[in-house]
């Protein structure tokens, strides 16, 4: 189900506050994925877009997270904004974005990161740093004087939440928690105990 305007504006409000309070990486979120057989893994990724379909981040499709999301298209993510004393938690489904959207974002990355996306076989064993830097050199030579295209093994995923929880730190651990849950075509809002 599409996110409501209320949820998007609440997220933007929390995000703005985190930035104003000096949060260094407000787009960083801890993404948890599963292989569907009980193994859960987590890591940091950066939020690159948000619209009514959900929260978009980019990664290598050969990575552990991507293989897990392809096998089990459900994920959770947590933003911790310590500077503003806030947290946002998402739980939902994941899907790859359209190739055009991935191309559009890839073309905005700096050239070094574009080359890096080709050079890194993310999450696979690497014999040495020299091997990686050698690959970087090879890719730079290959695309010298022309645009670096998006590798087909690098794309975006959209996490479409079924629940979104906004948490705000309060005195004596009497924190505020508001949970939005998608139910029968509506978003229900519920206050939770801290
Ligand atoms: C602040 C920060 C931001 C990161 N952003 C991304 C990202 O947007 N996409 C990505 O694939 N990895 C990102 N990483 C690296 C991942 O945390 C992780 O090491 C990598 O994606 C491999 O994860 P996996 O083996 O679990 O798939 C970031 C790491 C940090 C510390």
């Amino acid at each position: 189900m599409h996110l409501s305007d209320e949820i998007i504006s609440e997220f933007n409000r929390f995000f703005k506050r985190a930035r104003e309070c000096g949060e260094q990486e407000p787009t960083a979120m801890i993404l948890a994925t599963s292989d569907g057989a009980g193994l859960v893994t987590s890591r940091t990724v950066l939020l690159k877009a948000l619209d009514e379909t959900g929260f978009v981040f980019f990664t290598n499709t050969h990575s552990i997270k991507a293989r897990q999301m392809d096998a089990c298209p459900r994920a959770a993510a947590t933003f911790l904004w310590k500077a503003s004393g806030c947290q946002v938690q998402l739980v939902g489904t994941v899907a790859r974005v359209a190739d055009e959207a991935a191309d559009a974002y890839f073309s905005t990355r700096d050239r070094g990161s574009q080359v890096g996306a080709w050079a890194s076989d993310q999450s696979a064993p690497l014999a040495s740093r020299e091997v990686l830097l050698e690959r970087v050199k090879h890719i730079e030579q290959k695309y010298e004087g022309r645009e670096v295209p998006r590798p087909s093994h690098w794309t975006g995923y959209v996490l479409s939440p079924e629940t979104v929880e906004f948490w705000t730190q309060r005195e004596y651990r009497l924190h505020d928690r508001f949970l939005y849950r998608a139910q029968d075509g509506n978003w229900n809002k519920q206050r939770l105990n801290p």
Side-chain angles (χ1 to χ4, degrees), residues 25 28 41-48 57-60 63-66 122-123 154:
E25 285 277 22
T41 62
S42 67
R43 79 290 292 155
T44 312
V45 294
L46 299 180
L47 175 71
K48 292 298 175 184
F57 55 92
F58 291 86
T59 195
N60 184 308
S63 66
I64 292 167
K65 74 181 91 48
Q122 194 176 56
S123 309
W154 190 95

mmCIF file with all atom_site columns, all heavy atoms in Angstrom, residues 25 28 41-48 57-60 63-66 122-123 154, ligand 1:
data_model
loop_
_atom_site.group_PDB
_atom_site.id
_atom_site.type_symbol
_atom_site.label_atom_id
_atom_site.label_alt_id
_atom_site.label_comp_id
_atom_site.label_asym_id
_atom_site.label_entity_id
_atom_site.label_seq_id
_atom_site.pdbx_PDB_ins_code
_atom_site.Cartn_x
_atom_site.Cartn_y
_atom_site.Cartn_z
_atom_site.occupancy
_atom_site.B_iso_or_equiv
_atom_site.pdbx_formal_charge
_atom_site.auth_seq_id
_atom_site.auth_comp_id
_atom_site.auth_asym_id
_atom_site.auth_atom_id
_atom_site.pdbx_PDB_model_num
ATOM   1   N N   . GLU A 1 25  ? 25.048 11.660  9.369   1.00 0.00 ? 25  GLU A N   1
ATOM   2   C CA  . GLU A 1 25  ? 24.595 10.842  8.234   1.00 0.00 ? 25  GLU A CA  1
ATOM   3   C C   . GLU A 1 25  ? 23.106 10.551  8.385   1.00 0.00 ? 25  GLU A C   1
ATOM   4   O O   . GLU A 1 25  ? 22.720 9.409   8.624   1.00 0.00 ? 25  GLU A O   1
ATOM   5   C CB  . GLU A 1 25  ? 25.337 9.494   8.213   1.00 0.00 ? 25  GLU A CB  1
ATOM   6   C CG  . GLU A 1 25  ? 26.740 9.521   7.747   1.00 0.00 ? 25  GLU A CG  1
ATOM   7   C CD  . GLU A 1 25  ? 26.911 9.489   6.231   1.00 0.00 ? 25  GLU A CD  1
ATOM   8   O OE1 . GLU A 1 25  ? 25.955 9.857   5.504   1.00 0.00 ? 25  GLU A OE1 1
ATOM   9   O OE2 . GLU A 1 25  ? 27.995 9.117   5.787   1.00 0.00 ? 25  GLU A OE2 1
ATOM   10  N N   . ALA A 1 28  ? 21.478 7.515   6.746   1.00 0.00 ? 28  ALA A N   1
ATOM   11  C CA  . ALA A 1 28  ? 21.926 6.145   7.043   1.00 0.00 ? 28  ALA A CA  1
ATOM   12  C C   . ALA A 1 28  ? 20.841 5.355   7.765   1.00 0.00 ? 28  ALA A C   1
ATOM   13  O O   . ALA A 1 28  ? 20.244 5.835   8.731   1.00 0.00 ? 28  ALA A O   1
ATOM   14  C CB  . ALA A 1 28  ? 23.191 6.200   7.888   1.00 0.00 ? 28  ALA A CB  1
ATOM   15  N N   . THR A 1 41  ? 20.382 -10.919 8.591   1.00 0.00 ? 41  THR A N   1
ATOM   16  C CA  . THR A 1 41  ? 21.625 -10.144 8.560   1.00 0.00 ? 41  THR A CA  1
ATOM   17  C C   . THR A 1 41  ? 21.259 -8.663  8.493   1.00 0.00 ? 41  THR A C   1
ATOM   18  O O   . THR A 1 41  ? 20.164 -8.305  8.064   1.00 0.00 ? 41  THR A O   1
ATOM   19  C CB  . THR A 1 41  ? 22.501 -10.523 7.344   1.00 0.00 ? 41  THR A CB  1
ATOM   20  O OG1 . THR A 1 41  ? 21.780 -10.223 6.147   1.00 0.00 ? 41  THR A OG1 1
ATOM   21  C CG2 . THR A 1 41  ? 22.878 -11.996 7.354   1.00 0.00 ? 41  THR A CG2 1
ATOM   22  N N   . SER A 1 42  ? 22.198 -7.813  8.911   1.00 0.00 ? 42  SER A N   1
ATOM   23  C CA  . SER A 1 42  ? 21.923 -6.377  8.852   1.00 0.00 ? 42  SER A CA  1
ATOM   24  C C   . SER A 1 42  ? 23.188 -5.607  8.517   1.00 0.00 ? 42  SER A C   1
ATOM   25  O O   . SER A 1 42  ? 24.293 -6.101  8.733   1.00 0.00 ? 42  SER A O   1
ATOM   26  C CB  . SER A 1 42  ? 21.330 -5.878  10.172  1.00 0.00 ? 42  SER A CB  1
ATOM   27  O OG  . SER A 1 42  ? 22.284 -5.970  11.196  1.00 0.00 ? 42  SER A OG  1
ATOM   28  N N   . ARG A 1 43  ? 22.990 -4.430  7.968   1.00 0.00 ? 43  ARG A N   1
ATOM   29  C CA  . ARG A 1 43  ? 24.091 -3.543  7.582   1.00 0.00 ? 43  ARG A CA  1
ATOM   30  C C   . ARG A 1 43  ? 23.528 -2.146  7.323   1.00 0.00 ? 43  ARG A C   1
ATOM   31  O O   . ARG A 1 43  ? 22.313 -1.979  7.224   1.00 0.00 ? 43  ARG A O   1
ATOM   32  C CB  . ARG A 1 43  ? 24.848 -4.045  6.358   1.00 0.00 ? 43  ARG A CB  1
ATOM   33  C CG  . ARG A 1 43  ? 24.201 -3.779  5.046   1.00 0.00 ? 43  ARG A CG  1
ATOM   34  C CD  . ARG A 1 43  ? 22.952 -4.594  4.807   1.00 0.00 ? 43  ARG A CD  1
ATOM   35  N NE  . ARG A 1 43  ? 23.237 -6.010  4.638   1.00 0.00 ? 43  ARG A NE  1
ATOM   36  C CZ  . ARG A 1 43  ? 22.393 -6.979  4.882   1.00 0.00 ? 43  ARG A CZ  1
ATOM   37  N NH1 . ARG A 1 43  ? 21.140 -6.700  5.317   1.00 0.00 ? 43  ARG A NH1 1
ATOM   38  N NH2 . ARG A 1 43  ? 22.691 -8.226  4.698   1.00 0.00 ? 43  ARG A NH2 1
ATOM   39  N N   . THR A 1 44  ? 24.439 -1.168  7.175   1.00 0.00 ? 44  THR A N   1
ATOM   40  C CA  . THR A 1 44  ? 24.012 0.206   6.905   1.00 0.00 ? 44  THR A CA  1
ATOM   41  C C   . THR A 1 44  ? 23.900 0.432   5.403   1.00 0.00 ? 44  THR A C   1
ATOM   42  O O   . THR A 1 44  ? 24.770 -0.001  4.645   1.00 0.00 ? 44  THR A O   1
ATOM   43  C CB  . THR A 1 44  ? 25.052 1.195   7.450   1.00 0.00 ? 44  THR A CB  1
ATOM   44  O OG1 . THR A 1 44  ? 25.392 0.830   8.767   1.00 0.00 ? 44  THR A OG1 1
ATOM   45  C CG2 . THR A 1 44  ? 24.518 2.619   7.432   1.00 0.00 ? 44  THR A CG2 1
ATOM   46  N N   . VAL A 1 45  ? 22.843 1.107   4.975   1.00 0.00 ? 45  VAL A N   1
ATOM   47  C CA  . VAL A 1 45  ? 22.759 1.619   3.597   1.00 0.00 ? 45  VAL A CA  1
ATOM   48  C C   . VAL A 1 45  ? 22.244 3.061   3.690   1.00 0.00 ? 45  VAL A C   1
ATOM   49  O O   . VAL A 1 45  ? 21.771 3.489   4.748   1.00 0.00 ? 45  VAL A O   1
ATOM   50  C CB  . VAL A 1 45  ? 21.823 0.780   2.676   1.00 0.00 ? 45  VAL A CB  1
ATOM   51  C CG1 . VAL A 1 45  ? 22.375 -0.615  2.448   1.00 0.00 ? 45  VAL A CG1 1
ATOM   52  C CG2 . VAL A 1 45  ? 20.406 0.732   3.219   1.00 0.00 ? 45  VAL A CG2 1
ATOM   53  N N   . LEU A 1 46  ? 22.363 3.777   2.579   1.00 0.00 ? 46  LEU A N   1
ATOM   54  C CA  . LEU A 1 46  ? 21.921 5.172   2.579   1.00 0.00 ? 46  LEU A CA  1
ATOM   55  C C   . LEU A 1 46  ? 20.601 5.332   1.829   1.00 0.00 ? 46  LEU A C   1
ATOM   56  O O   . LEU A 1 46  ? 20.448 4.804   0.716   1.00 0.00 ? 46  LEU A O   1
ATOM   57  C CB  . LEU A 1 46  ? 22.987 6.075   1.931   1.00 0.00 ? 46  LEU A CB  1
ATOM   58  C CG  . LEU A 1 46  ? 24.354 6.100   2.610   1.00 0.00 ? 46  LEU A CG  1
ATOM   59  C CD1 . LEU A 1 46  ? 25.297 7.043   1.864   1.00 0.00 ? 46  LEU A CD1 1
ATOM   60  C CD2 . LEU A 1 46  ? 24.260 6.505   4.079   1.00 0.00 ? 46  LEU A CD2 1
ATOM   61  N N   . LEU A 1 47  ? 19.688 6.062   2.430   1.00 0.00 ? 47  LEU A N   1
ATOM   62  C CA  . LEU A 1 47  ? 18.414 6.370   1.781   1.00 0.00 ? 47  LEU A CA  1
ATOM   63  C C   . LEU A 1 47  ? 18.663 7.381   0.657   1.00 0.00 ? 47  LEU A C   1
ATOM   64  O O   . LEU A 1 47  ? 19.278 8.426   0.879   1.00 0.00 ? 47  LEU A O   1
ATOM   65  C CB  . LEU A 1 47  ? 17.461 6.991   2.802   1.00 0.00 ? 47  LEU A CB  1
ATOM   66  C CG  . LEU A 1 47  ? 16.122 7.467   2.247   1.00 0.00 ? 47  LEU A CG  1
ATOM   67  C CD1 . LEU A 1 47  ? 15.240 6.289   1.856   1.00 0.00 ? 47  LEU A CD1 1
ATOM   68  C CD2 . LEU A 1 47  ? 15.406 8.347   3.271   1.00 0.00 ? 47  LEU A CD2 1
ATOM   69  N N   . LYS A 1 48  ? 18.197 7.063   -0.546  1.00 0.00 ? 48  LYS A N   1
ATOM   70  C CA  . LYS A 1 48  ? 18.432 7.965   -1.676  1.00 0.00 ? 48  LYS A CA  1
ATOM   71  C C   . LYS A 1 48  ? 17.167 8.603   -2.225  1.00 0.00 ? 48  LYS A C   1
ATOM   72  O O   . LYS A 1 48  ? 17.230 9.582   -2.973  1.00 0.00 ? 48  LYS A O   1
ATOM   73  C CB  . LYS A 1 48  ? 19.160 7.207   -2.804  1.00 0.00 ? 48  LYS A CB  1
ATOM   74  C CG  . LYS A 1 48  ? 20.568 6.821   -2.435  1.00 0.00 ? 48  LYS A CG  1
ATOM   75  C CD  . LYS A 1 48  ? 21.438 8.065   -2.166  1.00 0.00 ? 48  LYS A CD  1
ATOM   76  C CE  . LYS A 1 48  ? 22.815 7.698   -1.668  1.00 0.00 ? 48  LYS A CE  1
ATOM   77  N NZ  . LYS A 1 48  ? 23.602 8.889   -1.334  1.00 0.00 ? 48  LYS A NZ  1
ATOM   78  N N   . PHE A 1 57  ? 17.004 2.628   -1.766  1.00 0.00 ? 57  PHE A N   1
ATOM   79  C CA  . PHE A 1 57  ? 18.461 2.591   -1.559  1.00 0.00 ? 57  PHE A CA  1
ATOM   80  C C   . PHE A 1 57  ? 19.069 1.777   -2.697  1.00 0.00 ? 57  PHE A C   1
ATOM   81  O O   . PHE A 1 57  ? 18.352 1.083   -3.420  1.00 0.00 ? 57  PHE A O   1
ATOM   82  C CB  . PHE A 1 57  ? 18.818 1.964   -0.192  1.00 0.00 ? 57  PHE A CB  1
ATOM   83  C CG  . PHE A 1 57  ? 18.227 0.587   -0.009  1.00 0.00 ? 57  PHE A CG  1
ATOM   84  C CD1 . PHE A 1 57  ? 18.947 -0.544  -0.351  1.00 0.00 ? 57  PHE A CD1 1
ATOM   85  C CD2 . PHE A 1 57  ? 16.934 0.419   0.459   1.00 0.00 ? 57  PHE A CD2 1
ATOM   86  C CE1 . PHE A 1 57  ? 18.401 -1.815  -0.215  1.00 0.00 ? 57  PHE A CE1 1
ATOM   87  C CE2 . PHE A 1 57  ? 16.376 -0.852  0.600   1.00 0.00 ? 57  PHE A CE2 1
ATOM   88  C CZ  . PHE A 1 57  ? 17.115 -1.966  0.259   1.00 0.00 ? 57  PHE A CZ  1
ATOM   89  N N   . PHE A 1 58  ? 20.395 1.880   -2.854  1.00 0.00 ? 58  PHE A N   1
ATOM   90  C CA  . PHE A 1 58  ? 21.055 1.234   -3.994  1.00 0.00 ? 58  PHE A CA  1
ATOM   91  C C   . PHE A 1 58  ? 22.144 0.285   -3.516  1.00 0.00 ? 58  PHE A C   1
ATOM   92  O O   . PHE A 1 58  ? 22.786 0.523   -2.495  1.00 0.00 ? 58  PHE A O   1
ATOM   93  C CB  . PHE A 1 58  ? 21.651 2.303   -4.929  1.00 0.00 ? 58  PHE A CB  1
ATOM   94  C CG  . PHE A 1 58  ? 20.574 3.076   -5.638  1.00 0.00 ? 58  PHE A CG  1
ATOM   95  C CD1 . PHE A 1 58  ? 19.988 4.183   -5.034  1.00 0.00 ? 58  PHE A CD1 1
ATOM   96  C CD2 . PHE A 1 58  ? 20.107 2.671   -6.877  1.00 0.00 ? 58  PHE A CD2 1
ATOM   97  C CE1 . PHE A 1 58  ? 18.966 4.884   -5.661  1.00 0.00 ? 58  PHE A CE1 1
ATOM   98  C CE2 . PHE A 1 58  ? 19.088 3.362   -7.518  1.00 0.00 ? 58  PHE A CE2 1
ATOM   99  C CZ  . PHE A 1 58  ? 18.520 4.470   -6.901  1.00 0.00 ? 58  PHE A CZ  1
ATOM   100 N N   . THR A 1 59  ? 22.316 -0.777  -4.278  1.00 0.00 ? 59  THR A N   1
ATOM   101 C CA  . THR A 1 59  ? 23.323 -1.759  -3.887  1.00 0.00 ? 59  THR A CA  1
ATOM   102 C C   . THR A 1 59  ? 23.679 -2.671  -5.046  1.00 0.00 ? 59  THR A C   1
ATOM   103 O O   . THR A 1 59  ? 23.140 -2.548  -6.156  1.00 0.00 ? 59  THR A O   1
ATOM   104 C CB  . THR A 1 59  ? 22.830 -2.573  -2.662  1.00 0.00 ? 59  THR A CB  1
ATOM   105 O OG1 . THR A 1 59  ? 23.949 -3.256  -2.090  1.00 0.00 ? 59  THR A OG1 1
ATOM   106 C CG2 . THR A 1 59  ? 21.750 -3.569  -3.033  1.00 0.00 ? 59  THR A CG2 1
ATOM   107 N N   . ASN A 1 60  ? 24.602 -3.585  -4.764  1.00 0.00 ? 60  ASN A N   1
ATOM   108 C CA  . ASN A 1 60  ? 25.056 -4.563  -5.751  1.00 0.00 ? 60  ASN A CA  1
ATOM   109 C C   . ASN A 1 60  ? 24.141 -5.791  -5.654  1.00 0.00 ? 60  ASN A C   1
ATOM   110 O O   . ASN A 1 60  ? 23.927 -6.316  -4.552  1.00 0.00 ? 60  ASN A O   1
ATOM   111 C CB  . ASN A 1 60  ? 26.511 -4.930  -5.401  1.00 0.00 ? 60  ASN A CB  1
ATOM   112 C CG  . ASN A 1 60  ? 27.140 -5.855  -6.399  1.00 0.00 ? 60  ASN A CG  1
ATOM   113 O OD1 . ASN A 1 60  ? 26.585 -6.906  -6.729  1.00 0.00 ? 60  ASN A OD1 1
ATOM   114 N ND2 . ASN A 1 60  ? 28.313 -5.499  -6.877  1.00 0.00 ? 60  ASN A ND2 1
ATOM   115 N N   . SER A 1 63  ? 25.363 -8.921  -3.817  1.00 0.00 ? 63  SER A N   1
ATOM   116 C CA  . SER A 1 63  ? 25.699 -8.834  -2.395  1.00 0.00 ? 63  SER A CA  1
ATOM   117 C C   . SER A 1 63  ? 24.813 -9.777  -1.577  1.00 0.00 ? 63  SER A C   1
ATOM   118 O O   . SER A 1 63  ? 23.789 -10.266 -2.049  1.00 0.00 ? 63  SER A O   1
ATOM   119 C CB  . SER A 1 63  ? 25.515 -7.394  -1.897  1.00 0.00 ? 63  SER A CB  1
ATOM   120 O OG  . SER A 1 63  ? 24.142 -7.038  -1.942  1.00 0.00 ? 63  SER A OG  1
ATOM   121 N N   . ILE A 1 64  ? 25.229 -9.992  -0.345  1.00 0.00 ? 64  ILE A N   1
ATOM   122 C CA  . ILE A 1 64  ? 24.448 -10.873 0.539   1.00 0.00 ? 64  ILE A CA  1
ATOM   123 C C   . ILE A 1 64  ? 23.035 -10.334 0.706   1.00 0.00 ? 64  ILE A C   1
ATOM   124 O O   . ILE A 1 64  ? 22.051 -11.063 0.564   1.00 0.00 ? 64  ILE A O   1
ATOM   125 C CB  . ILE A 1 64  ? 25.157 -11.000 1.913   1.00 0.00 ? 64  ILE A CB  1
ATOM   126 C CG1 . ILE A 1 64  ? 26.461 -11.777 1.728   1.00 0.00 ? 64  ILE A CG1 1
ATOM   127 C CG2 . ILE A 1 64  ? 24.255 -11.676 2.943   1.00 0.00 ? 64  ILE A CG2 1
ATOM   128 C CD1 . ILE A 1 64  ? 27.405 -11.702 2.910   1.00 0.00 ? 64  ILE A CD1 1
ATOM   129 N N   . LYS A 1 65  ? 22.939 -9.015  0.976   1.00 0.00 ? 65  LYS A N   1
ATOM   130 C CA  . LYS A 1 65  ? 21.602 -8.434  1.202   1.00 0.00 ? 65  LYS A CA  1
ATOM   131 C C   . LYS A 1 65  ? 20.707 -8.605  -0.010  1.00 0.00 ? 65  LYS A C   1
ATOM   132 O O   . LYS A 1 65  ? 19.526 -8.941  0.093   1.00 0.00 ? 65  LYS A O   1
ATOM   133 C CB  . LYS A 1 65  ? 21.720 -6.944  1.604   1.00 0.00 ? 65  LYS A CB  1
ATOM   134 C CG  . LYS A 1 65  ? 22.080 -6.025  0.437   1.00 0.00 ? 65  LYS A CG  1
ATOM   135 C CD  . LYS A 1 65  ? 22.208 -4.586  0.847   1.00 0.00 ? 65  LYS A CD  1
ATOM   136 C CE  . LYS A 1 65  ? 23.607 -4.195  1.248   1.00 0.00 ? 65  LYS A CE  1
ATOM   137 N NZ  . LYS A 1 65  ? 24.701 -4.608  0.312   1.00 0.00 ? 65  LYS A NZ  1
ATOM   138 N N   . ALA A 1 66  ? 21.289 -8.386  -1.224  1.00 0.00 ? 66  ALA A N   1
ATOM   139 C CA  . ALA A 1 66  ? 20.471 -8.457  -2.440  1.00 0.00 ? 66  ALA A CA  1
ATOM   140 C C   . ALA A 1 66  ? 20.026 -9.895  -2.704  1.00 0.00 ? 66  ALA A C   1
ATOM   141 O O   . ALA A 1 66  ? 18.870 -10.134 -3.072  1.00 0.00 ? 66  ALA A O   1
ATOM   142 C CB  . ALA A 1 66  ? 21.250 -7.914  -3.626  1.00 0.00 ? 66  ALA A CB  1
ATOM   143 N N   . GLN A 1 122 ? 30.810 -6.899  -4.697  1.00 0.00 ? 122 GLN A N   1
ATOM   144 C CA  . GLN A 1 122 ? 30.440 -6.711  -3.287  1.00 0.00 ? 122 GLN A CA  1
ATOM   145 C C   . GLN A 1 122 ? 30.090 -8.019  -2.567  1.00 0.00 ? 122 GLN A C   1
ATOM   146 O O   . GLN A 1 122 ? 29.312 -8.816  -3.082  1.00 0.00 ? 122 GLN A O   1
ATOM   147 C CB  . GLN A 1 122 ? 29.246 -5.752  -3.179  1.00 0.00 ? 122 GLN A CB  1
ATOM   148 C CG  . GLN A 1 122 ? 29.033 -5.245  -1.766  1.00 0.00 ? 122 GLN A CG  1
ATOM   149 C CD  . GLN A 1 122 ? 27.906 -4.223  -1.694  1.00 0.00 ? 122 GLN A CD  1
ATOM   150 O OE1 . GLN A 1 122 ? 26.796 -4.499  -2.093  1.00 0.00 ? 122 GLN A OE1 1
ATOM   151 N NE2 . GLN A 1 122 ? 28.214 -3.051  -1.181  1.00 0.00 ? 122 GLN A NE2 1
ATOM   152 N N   . SER A 1 123 ? 30.675 -8.184  -1.406  1.00 0.00 ? 123 SER A N   1
ATOM   153 C CA  . SER A 1 123 ? 30.464 -9.308  -0.481  1.00 0.00 ? 123 SER A CA  1
ATOM   154 C C   . SER A 1 123 ? 31.198 -10.585 -0.880  1.00 0.00 ? 123 SER A C   1
ATOM   155 O O   . SER A 1 123 ? 31.161 -11.563 -0.135  1.00 0.00 ? 123 SER A O   1
ATOM   156 C CB  . SER A 1 123 ? 28.968 -9.609  -0.266  1.00 0.00 ? 123 SER A CB  1
ATOM   157 O OG  . SER A 1 123 ? 28.264 -8.437  0.079   1.00 0.00 ? 123 SER A OG  1
ATOM   158 N N   . TRP A 1 154 ? 24.053 -3.652  -10.443 1.00 0.00 ? 154 TRP A N   1
ATOM   159 C CA  . TRP A 1 154 ? 23.951 -2.559  -9.461  1.00 0.00 ? 154 TRP A CA  1
ATOM   160 C C   . TRP A 1 154 ? 22.605 -1.874  -9.681  1.00 0.00 ? 154 TRP A C   1
ATOM   161 O O   . TRP A 1 154 ? 22.308 -1.404  -10.784 1.00 0.00 ? 154 TRP A O   1
ATOM   162 C CB  . TRP A 1 154 ? 25.099 -1.579  -9.678  1.00 0.00 ? 154 TRP A CB  1
ATOM   163 C CG  . TRP A 1 154 ? 25.252 -0.552  -8.588  1.00 0.00 ? 154 TRP A CG  1
ATOM   164 C CD1 . TRP A 1 154 ? 26.073 -0.603  -7.514  1.00 0.00 ? 154 TRP A CD1 1
ATOM   165 C CD2 . TRP A 1 154 ? 24.554 0.702   -8.492  1.00 0.00 ? 154 TRP A CD2 1
ATOM   166 N NE1 . TRP A 1 154 ? 25.932 0.520   -6.757  1.00 0.00 ? 154 TRP A NE1 1
ATOM   167 C CE2 . TRP A 1 154 ? 25.005 1.343   -7.334  1.00 0.00 ? 154 TRP A CE2 1
ATOM   168 C CE3 . TRP A 1 154 ? 23.576 1.337   -9.268  1.00 0.00 ? 154 TRP A CE3 1
ATOM   169 C CZ2 . TRP A 1 154 ? 24.531 2.581   -6.920  1.00 0.00 ? 154 TRP A CZ2 1
ATOM   170 C CZ3 . TRP A 1 154 ? 23.102 2.563   -8.851  1.00 0.00 ? 154 TRP A CZ3 1
ATOM   171 C CH2 . TRP A 1 154 ? 23.580 3.176   -7.694  1.00 0.00 ? 154 TRP A CH2 1
HETATM 172 C C1  . LIG B 2 .   ? 27.469 4.893   6.452   1.00 0.00 ? 1   LIG B C1  1
HETATM 173 C C2  . LIG B 2 .   ? 27.434 3.703   5.510   1.00 0.00 ? 1   LIG B C2  1
HETATM 174 C C3  . LIG B 2 .   ? 26.678 3.791   4.351   1.00 0.00 ? 1   LIG B C3  1
HETATM 175 C C4  . LIG B 2 .   ? 26.608 2.711   3.474   1.00 0.00 ? 1   LIG B C4  1
HETATM 176 N N1  . LIG B 2 .   ? 25.791 2.805   2.372   1.00 0.00 ? 1   LIG B N1  1
HETATM 177 C C5  . LIG B 2 .   ? 25.671 1.736   1.551   1.00 0.00 ? 1   LIG B C5  1
HETATM 178 C C6  . LIG B 2 .   ? 24.740 1.758   0.473   1.00 0.00 ? 1   LIG B C6  1
HETATM 179 O O1  . LIG B 2 .   ? 23.987 2.735   0.254   1.00 0.00 ? 1   LIG B O1  1
HETATM 180 N N2  . LIG B 2 .   ? 24.673 0.673   -0.328  1.00 0.00 ? 1   LIG B N2  1
HETATM 181 C C7  . LIG B 2 .   ? 25.458 -0.435  -0.127  1.00 0.00 ? 1   LIG B C7  1
HETATM 182 O O2  . LIG B 2 .   ? 25.353 -1.390  -0.897  1.00 0.00 ? 1   LIG B O2  1
HETATM 183 N N3  . LIG B 2 .   ? 26.326 -0.503  0.906   1.00 0.00 ? 1   LIG B N3  1
HETATM 184 C C8  . LIG B 2 .   ? 26.447 0.552   1.745   1.00 0.00 ? 1   LIG B C8  1
HETATM 185 N N4  . LIG B 2 .   ? 27.301 0.496   2.817   1.00 0.00 ? 1   LIG B N4  1
HETATM 186 C C9  . LIG B 2 .   ? 28.080 -0.754  3.031   1.00 0.00 ? 1   LIG B C9  1
HETATM 187 C C10 . LIG B 2 .   ? 27.170 -1.801  3.695   1.00 0.00 ? 1   LIG B C10 1
HETATM 188 O O3  . LIG B 2 .   ? 26.964 -1.479  5.053   1.00 0.00 ? 1   LIG B O3  1
HETATM 189 C C11 . LIG B 2 .   ? 27.710 -3.242  3.538   1.00 0.00 ? 1   LIG B C11 1
HETATM 190 O O4  . LIG B 2 .   ? 29.028 -3.331  4.033   1.00 0.00 ? 1   LIG B O4  1
HETATM 191 C C12 . LIG B 2 .   ? 27.707 -3.697  2.094   1.00 0.00 ? 1   LIG B C12 1
HETATM 192 O O5  . LIG B 2 .   ? 26.572 -3.218  1.383   1.00 0.00 ? 1   LIG B O5  1
HETATM 193 C C13 . LIG B 2 .   ? 27.721 -5.216  2.005   1.00 0.00 ? 1   LIG B C13 1
HETATM 194 O O6  . LIG B 2 .   ? 26.614 -5.714  2.708   1.00 0.00 ? 1   LIG B O6  1
HETATM 195 P P1  . LIG B 2 .   ? 26.113 -7.231  2.568   1.00 0.00 ? 1   LIG B P1  1
HETATM 196 O O7  . LIG B 2 .   ? 27.338 -8.109  2.396   1.00 0.00 ? 1   LIG B O7  1
HETATM 197 O O8  . LIG B 2 .   ? 25.392 -7.505  3.864   1.00 0.00 ? 1   LIG B O8  1
HETATM 198 O O9  . LIG B 2 .   ? 25.208 -7.285  1.383   1.00 0.00 ? 1   LIG B O9  1
HETATM 199 C C14 . LIG B 2 .   ? 27.360 1.535   3.728   1.00 0.00 ? 1   LIG B C14 1
HETATM 200 C C15 . LIG B 2 .   ? 28.116 1.462   4.907   1.00 0.00 ? 1   LIG B C15 1
HETATM 201 C C16 . LIG B 2 .   ? 28.154 2.521   5.783   1.00 0.00 ? 1   LIG B C16 1
HETATM 202 C C17 . LIG B 2 .   ? 28.961 2.380   7.059   1.00 0.00 ? 1   LIG B C17 1
#
